[in-house]
Structure formats: C-alpha cells, structure tokens
Amino acid sequence: MGADHDDHHHAPDPRGRALRLGIGGPVGSGKTALTAALCRTLGPTLRLAVVTNDIYTTEDADFLRKAGVLDPERIAAVQTGCCPHTAIRDDIAANLDAVETLEERFGPLDLVIVESGGDNLTATFSRGLADRQIFVLDVSGGDKVPRKGGPGVTTADLLVINKTDLAPMVGADLTVMSRDAAAVRDGRPVLFTSVRQEPEAHAVAEWVMGLIHAWTYEHAHGSTAPAAT
Amino acid sequence: MSAPSPNAALLLLADSRLPAGGHGHSGGAEAAIASGAVRDLPTLAAFLHGRLATTGLVTASLAAAACALGASIAASGTADARAGEGGGGRAEADMPVPADGSRSGGRAKPGMPGPASGDLSGGQADPPSRSGGDRRGGWAGLDGEADARTASPAQREASRTQGRLLLRTARRIWPSPVLDGLALAVPHGAHHPVALGAAAGVTGCAPQEAALAAAYTAVTGPATAAVRLLGLDPVAVHRLLADLAPDLERVAATAAARVPPLSASASPGPGSGSAPAAPPSPEPPGDSPWAGLPAHAAPALDLLAERHLRAGLRLFVS
Amino acid sequence: MTARAVLATAPGPDGRTVLAVMRSAPPITLRRTGPGRVHLVSTAAGPLGGDDLALDIDVAPGTSLDVLSIASTLVLPGSGTAESLMTVTARVGAGASLRFAPEPTVLAAGCRHRMAVRLELAGDARVFWREEIVFGRHGETPGRCHSRFDATVEGRPLLRQEFTVGDPAVDASPAVYGGARCVGSTLIAGPPGAVPGDLPDRDRNDGPPPDTAPTGSLRPGEAVIGDGWAMLPLAGPGILVSALAPDAAGLRHRLERGEAAAFPH
C-alpha cells in the first residue's frame, strides 16, 4: 500500500495531530505532579490527554484522576514490563498505540502528554514518540546532577528543576545548578519550579503554550514540519 | 524439515528488541510470580516447559499456518485478504488501509484504563468480514481458529494487542500487500501468532521458521520477565532457555507438520509441502482448513491471565 | 472391544422430545431416566486398553436432551500397550438443547487413553457440556491421557481445547495444571438470552423436564474468577467455565461456582 499513509503516527500528520510532549526524569522528581499541574493550568484552554508509564501505573493514573484535573477517560496507563526507558525510547509501540487510541477517542486534541516511568539520567524519549520533551530533576538529588549531564539533562527541550523549596534543606545551590545546566545545554531553556508551592507551574505551562503555537503554525504553513521518513 | 537456507529476517522478528511492544508482556509470568507459583529457577523451568507444551505449540502452529497462508496469497498474485476463497478477488483490496491497519474507526480499544476497560469482548462481536465466506480459508478464518483456542478474554486481548502492534511495526519494516490484507481482514487486531506468522512469511521465512519464532517468544518473554521480577541470575535463566532449545525445535517441527496444504487453487507456501501429520481422530469439525491444528489448553495460564488483569499493581500488560 | 452407542431425539406429537433411537453398545449402556433424559450406565470395567468406544448423539431441531451418567468412568490399562479410545460425537440442531454432564473420568495408573469430543451446533442450539478428568484414584499416579474437544457453531469454531495428562514435566507445570489433580471445564453455548438457565439444579429429580426448562441469559462481557475457577466468555457465542482442584469433589464445586456465575441471578 502507499507510503503516503505509512508513517502518519511517526511524523507530524499533514492534517494536523496533537503535539506529543514527553515528560521524563528520575524517580520522585515530580513528573506526575508536573503533569497534573499542566493539566490543571492548560486544561481549560487546550484539548488534552495523558499517557502515563509509571511502573506503578494504576497508582499514577489514580493520582491524576484524583487530582481532578482531567477526565479520567483521557488518561491511559501503559505497562512497561519494568523497563520504562525501553517503552519511551527503544520500543515505543505500546505508547504510540495508547496515544493514537486517545486521539481517536477524543480527537482532535491539542496536546498529548506522555509521562515516562521514573528512570535514570540516560533516559530520553524517541523522536518517534515525542515531538518535544521535558526532563524533570529535583534539587534533592544534589546540585551536581546537571553537571553530570546525561542525555536527558543535555538534550531535553526543557529542563525543569523542581522542588526548589527543598534547596535550603538539602544544601543545593540553585545558582550552581543553573550555571551547570546552561553549560551543558547549549542554550536550551531551564526552569526552576516548586510544584508543591505553585501547583499551576505557570512558567512551564507558558513554555508549553509556546510549543503549541509553534506546532500549530508549522501545520498551518506546512513547510517546517519534518519530512516523513 | 529444515529450511533450505537460514533467513536472517527470522532473527529480527524473534528479537526482543523488535519494537513491537513485546517487552511489556510476561505471558502469565508476572501473575505466576505474584501467586508464588513461580519463585526460583526450578519453578520457572517447570512454568516454561508447560507453557511451551501448550500455548507454545498452539501459537507455533498458528504462526506456521499464517506463514503458509501469506505465502499462498502472495503466490496467487493478489493482495486480496480473501485469497484461498472461491469467489475471492473482491474490491475490498482497493480500500485504503491506514498504516496501523488495525483501527476500526473510533472504537475504544479494550485494555485502556477507565470505564472502557470493561470491554473485553475483543473478538466477541462478529465483524462483518467474518460472516462472509472468508471465515473459512482466509485470514479471518485463521484468526477465528486462534480465538477458539484462547478461552480467556484476558489472553485474547493480550494476544490481539501484541498482534496489532507487531503488524503495524512489520508493515513499516516490510511493506507488503499480504500484511495490508491481514490488517484489512482482521481490523480489530489479529492474534499475535497470526501476525507473527504473516510477517515471517513476508520476510521469506518458511512455516517451520515462523513456528520456531512463535515458540521462542512463548518462552523468552516469560523468562525475561522472571529475570526482572525475581532478580534471577540472567545467565542461569538463559541456561534454562538453552536447555529448552531442542524442545523449541521439536515444537516448531510438530507445529509446521500439522499445517494442512492450502486449497488446490493456491500454490503451497514454502515449506508446507509435506503432508500434515494426522490430527487426533476423529477429524475435528469445522469449515476452516485449520480445524485440526493443535489446541492444547493451559487452564492455569487462563486463571493467571484473568487474575493479572484484576491485580492492582501490574508491571506487565499480561 | 469396539462399541458404538447411538442416541437420537425427535420431536414428539405433543411437542415433547422423544428418543427416536437409543441403541446401547456394551459397555456403553443407555437407560432412559426421564423425559428427554438418558443415563449412561457402564456395564463392564473400563474403558480398557484396546477398547474403541463411541457414543453418537443427534439432537433433532427443537428437541431437548439430558445425558448424565450413573458413576465415574475408571479408565484402566489393558493387557497390552494399546490405547483405549472414547469418542463422543454430538450434533445439536436448530433450537435444540443438549445437556451432557456425566460423572468424571478417572485415569488409573498405567492407562493410555484418548478422548475426543466433536460437537456441532446449529446457530441457535443450546449446550451445556461438562467434562471432568481426575488424575488417578486417591494417591495414584495417573496413566496417560489425551483429550480433544472441538465445538463449532454453524461450522465456525467456538472452542477447541486439548488436555494431555501423564507427561510429568507438563502435569507439574504451574502454567498448565498448577499442581492440581483434577481438571474440568463446562462449555455453555447458545445465543444470548436463549441458554438453559440454572442448569445445576436440573440434577434434581424434581426439576422441570428439560424441554420446559427455565431460560436464563448468559452473563455477557467480562470473565469472573474465583479460587481455582474462571468463567470465561468466549469469542463466539458461549462461555467456558474452567477449573482446577485437588480432588473430584472440589472440582465439581468449583465448576458449579463458575456455572452459576455464568447466569446472573
């Protein structure tokens, strides 16, 4: 059959599909809380759905549902067989299937968030699954983490350093973190948040809105969308 | 009977790194571990032995049959999913097929969370295509044979989910009208061994090779899951798998030998030339040519699959 | 010993089922025990190795038949190494109803047994078919057994399942029998809303005759599981109750739990 519809889930669809935003980062850094914050803040203006990969799948999905930020039916849980990084990077089939199912059921959508299960610093999203990705760190991991780098820290479209409220308690120097992150990220943005203190995560939401506008523009004008492989 | 020459594509198909979602399935191992039935190397070995002798043999034979069917469709020179049917060659082959090929527009898939997860009826409702003649000798007919050998709705759903993902992946890697035809004929997602066998056929594998791939995945998935969940020594677990290798080959040979030659109008697929071993007497009833394929049940796996679906904490899909 | 017993129904003048053919073939002896009801009475030991036994059942359109048995079937080895074979073929016509629920088959030590059931259903036929296999008498290591069950509806496969007993590596597998000594299953098939209801009660002699049995409807959709049993909706029109148990009494209890779960009360 024709190649014209061979890759519609892989590359941006000319008809326009939702932006797929990956949210990754180590265990406990606040991925789910950030996802909930984005739903809370963007939900009123965007058509949203979420795929969560946390190894505690039902728990994470339940957390989002209980937060009351999104229609529970718009949250899909994917079991990753103890390998969260595999599911977002090496074998994205189950996640793609979940994303497309949500788009079919609730589409058209503006944004589908794929929240990775907690993993290590090397985990990143395949470009076949996420159009853009956020990597979430938290200060309690130590202020050396950004300096250590790793693909998540260095290549994510946005680095979020969460739990800034804990910095004094854990002896993390935000200035050091900011400087180190800038050094390894080649100008890509870094945002500091405390989702606990500011449950709306406005700065991150604003960044996401910027993505959506750019995405919509690309589709409206077509030319800047990456070509299908 | 061994293949005339080794087919490297078989390695790609059987590799757990094939991006088709297989890593998320434990084949009942997670539930068996949760229940305490599998807890160490000896119990894992017993689990794998039993799984291979039952589900492994059944899926191997379905894969071999799918491989042969795909080859006969390809040989008959039509993309029509209804090949092998008298009066096939309908215009459906010209219908556009989305790349994932598996979507019935807007239908909520089971397995998703939320209220929709109650829909386990995977193959319960008869798609229109099954009421037609294609149920006898075509893809839907073979898929129906897989349904009849899978009593547990949880297992049917897991099989269809894996089959859907595999078929989508295979269609991008090895584009073929045969695979398009399968996606068209079984729009809600073909059973995994059917998709696997079809993909194997498209890559040029013989039915026995397709059977070997199915038997292999029937034990490697649970073995890998046990390594992850029990922290077993991966080398020791691979030793178990190596010990199973002769059984895998035997199962694949048995499975392929049970595949009947397809109708006279269709050329037999590669490797399907041998006469099928006699199925148990008497000849099982049914209209499809695959009535006599192995059908070994594993009631414990059925119970485990259903229990797994209801578990609060699941690291694997199945 | 080769024997072929035959049982066939026909619609009677008053709309009730009559037994048009009831041909015993020892050791399979058929005995009418009620309207549309027949018990299998074994009049010899066995099956023994070398026996080739068959029962052929034809349930005519619109009629109803119950087939039960007086006692368990004890499968014994013969003098040589030959297998014993038991084949049951049943055709259930349009609007007809068959209940086949004999006592368990017990595999004695050393037996080599094959069982085959082929069940062909018309589109709106109703069936309740229970099969129980006990792995040896108390404390006994069973012989070998292979059973195959095939049910089709209008030629389309509804359920195909095989059990093998006697290969220690498989028998002991937590994937197959999970340490149980008995395996059983009940197929309840028929169009939704037209399946004989409350079937376990029909064992009682004061139950309504089969052809006026109450009609319940099968629970649609999801499986129901309990301790050692599962009620599994099939892809086609029917459900399978599957059970494993340490002993025959436990197996029957579990199957009955699953059978009850098939019919919402």
Side-chain angles (χ1 to χ4, degrees):
Chain A
M1 303 295 287
D4 51 336
H5 39 57
D6 211 14
D7 285 305
H8 80 264
H9 52 273
H10 176 62
D13 189 316
R15 291 167 296 183
R17 58 153 173 80
L19 176 76
R20 295 169 186 176
L21 175 65
I23 297 184
V27 177
S29 59
K31 295 179 297 299
T32 306
L34 179 63
T35 301
L38 290 176
C39 291
R40 199 177 287 118
T41 307
L42 300 175
T45 45
L46 295 180
R47 295 163 297 186
L48 275 174
V50 172
V51 176
T52 178
N53 277 196
D54 201 290
I55 60 166
Y56 299 105
T57 48
T58 48
E59 188 170 306
D60 251 15
D62 286 348
F63 175 87
L64 290 174
R65 287 171 193 135
K66 281 183 195 138
V69 292
L70 196 63
D71 173 2
E73 289 210 27
R74 290 177 178 246
I75 303 167
V78 167
Q79 289 84 18
T80 62
C82 307
C83 291
H85 58 275
T86 302
I88 61 166
R89 187 183 59 202
D90 311 292
D91 182 354
I92 58 177
N95 269 320
L96 271 181
D97 195 54
V99 168
E100 289 173 16
T101 301
L102 288 167
E103 288 196 304
E104 271 175 18
R105 285 186 69 192
F106 301 105
L109 298 173
D110 301 306
L111 176 67
V112 180
I113 296 174
V114 181
E115 183 208 344
S116 163
D119 211 303
N120 59 45
L121 295 173
T122 67
T124 53
F125 283 83
S126 159
R127 291 293 172 192
L129 174 62
D131 303 303
R132 300 288 184 273
Q133 53 190 301
I134 298 176
F135 198 78
V136 185
L137 288 178
D138 72 282
V139 301
S140 63
D143 54 19
K144 299 185 304 297
V145 173
R147 194 178 332 144
K148 285 163 75 176
V153 169
T154 57
T155 67
D157 298 290
L158 174 67
L159 177 66
V160 170
I161 298 176
N162 189 28
K163 304 191 187 177
T164 51
D165 51 311
L166 297 181
M169 282 168 258
V170 298
D173 186 335
L174 297 182
T175 319
V176 168
M177 294 183 89
S178 176
R179 185 193 64 213
D180 291 347
V184 297
R185 284 181 52 75
D186 196 22
R188 280 184 287 274
V190 181
L191 290 172
F192 287 83
T193 61
S194 168
V195 177
R196 196 171 66 174
Q197 289 180 330
E198 195 232 349
E200 292 79 23
H202 281 299
V204 181
E206 204 171 300
W207 180 83
V208 173
M209 281 307 295
L211 287 187
I212 302 278
H213 289 315
W215 181 258
T216 310
Y217 179 88
E218 281 179 20
H219 283 299
H221 297 78
S223 57
T224 52
T229 51
Chain B
M1 183 195 75
S2 52
S5 63
N7 188 326
L10 181 68
L11 301 178
L12 292 173
L13 263 177
D15 194 333
S16 66
R17 287 165 291 194
L18 181 75
H23 72 99
H25 293 262
S26 81
E30 183 176 12
I33 288 165
S35 77
V38 170
R39 54 195 175 274
D40 51 20
L41 284 171
T43 50
L44 176 62
F47 182 88
L48 297 178
H49 261 288
R51 195 172 200 282
L52 179 61
T54 53
T55 307
L57 175 60
V58 173
T59 55
S61 66
L62 290 165
C67 183
L69 175 60
S72 86
I73 291 171
S76 73
T78 169
D80 189 345
R82 280 81 173 163
E85 270 325 288
R90 300 277 304 279
E92 283 95 325
D94 297 329
M95 284 168 54
V97 187
D100 58 26
S102 54
R103 292 322 184 40
S104 43
R107 179 179 155 271
K109 275 203 310 296
M112 302 296 291
S117 66
D119 177 16
L120 290 173
S121 59
Q124 203 146 22
D126 261 358
S129 65
R130 274 192 61 183
S131 59
D134 69 320
R135 72 184 158 93
R136 291 183 166 80
W139 289 121
L142 182 57
D143 193 70
E145 292 288 346
D147 260 347
R149 287 163 173 78
T150 320
S152 149
Q155 299 228 64
R156 284 198 300 276
E157 189 48 41
S159 173
R160 288 198 183 283
T161 299
Q162 285 184 274
R164 186 176 66 240
L165 300 189
L166 174 60
L167 184 57
R168 178 167 63 185
T169 296
R171 289 176 72 196
R172 290 183 59 199
I173 302 174
W174 298 285
S176 156
V178 170
L179 299 182
D180 295 340
L182 172 56
L184 186 66
V186 192
H188 46 304
H191 277 284
H192 181 252
V194 176
L196 179 59
V202 162
T203 65
C205 291
Q208 189 168 332
E209 292 177 305
L212 185 60
Y216 173 81
T217 56
V219 293
T220 51
T224 305
V227 169
R228 295 183 196 159
L229 293 169
L230 288 171
L232 297 176
D233 176 354
V235 178
V237 170
H238 257 71
R239 169 70 189 270
L240 286 185
L241 293 172
D243 289 344
L244 278 173
D247 292 327
L248 292 175
E249 290 164 6
R250 198 157 38 238
V251 162
T254 304
R258 292 280 287 273
V259 175
L262 293 167
S263 62
S265 63
S267 317
S272 66
S274 63
S281 60
E283 188 67 30
D287 294 339
S288 92
W290 304 288
L293 291 185
H296 293 75
L301 282 180
D302 288 347
L303 293 175
L304 289 169
E306 296 297 337
R307 197 172 297 153
H308 181 69
L309 202 62
R310 291 156 181 78
L313 168 60
R314 296 193 291 149
L315 305 183
F316 289 81
V317 183
S318 70
Chain C
M1 186 182 294
T2 300
R4 179 163 175 264
V6 182
L7 194 51
T9 63
D14 57 352
R16 294 202 143 204
T17 296
V18 296
L19 295 174
V21 181
M22 192 173 77
R23 192 168 75 216
S24 296
I28 304 173
T29 300
L30 307 172
R31 190 165 294 161
R32 183 179 182 277
T33 52
R37 172 178 297 187
V38 171
H39 273 75
L40 303 173
V41 183
S42 187
T43 48
L48 301 173
D51 285 354
D52 182 355
L53 312 180
L55 171 62
D56 196 11
I57 301 171
D58 210 325
V59 188
T63 65
S64 184
L65 177 67
D66 263 23
V67 180
L68 305 166
S69 74
I70 298 291
S72 302
T73 298
L74 180 64
V75 184
L76 295 163
S79 50
T81 56
E83 291 185 323
S84 50
L85 180 63
M86 178 72 204
T87 305
V88 183
T89 305
R91 288 165 300 277
V92 188
S97 169
L98 170 64
R99 176 168 188 248
F100 186 87
E103 296 304 304
T105 296
V106 182
L107 307 174
C111 75
R112 291 174 164 276
H113 190 51
R114 294 180 81 84
M115 291 191 275
V117 173
R118 46 177 303 168
L119 178 58
E120 296 176 63
L121 309 179
D124 58 351
R126 300 173 286 160
V127 156
F128 177 99
W129 191 288
R130 188 194 282 145
E131 192 175 80
E132 294 160 305
I133 304 174
V134 178
F135 305 170
R137 288 166 290 193
H138 184 72
E140 186 180 36
T141 302
R144 302 182 73 90
C145 174
H146 173 261
S147 86
R148 173 144 183 154
F149 182 96
D150 288 274
T152 58
V153 178
E154 296 287 349
R156 183 182 304 190
L158 173 63
L159 176 69
R160 301 193 191 279
Q161 64 174 10
E162 292 176 71
F163 292 117
T164 58
V165 180
D167 177 350
V170 175
D171 293 356
S173 172
V176 185
Y177 302 125
R181 288 187 51 82
C182 303
V183 61
S185 55
T186 305
L187 172 68
I188 304 174
V195 172
D198 215 16
L199 282 153
D201 283 341
R202 289 169 61 191
D203 266 332
R204 295 200 304 254
N205 287 333
D206 57 353
D211 42 351
T212 60
T215 300
S217 53
L218 271 178
R219 184 195 294 271
E222 278 198 64
V224 179
I225 55 173
D227 185 22
W229 61 267
M231 192 284 285
L232 306 166
L234 299 172
I239 63 105
L240 181 74
V241 176
S242 183
L244 294 167
D247 56 55
L251 181 69
R252 178 64 61 87
H253 177 70
R254 287 176 174 181
L255 284 173
E256 286 178 350
R257 293 282 303 274
E259 290 157 10
F263 299 100
H265 289 292

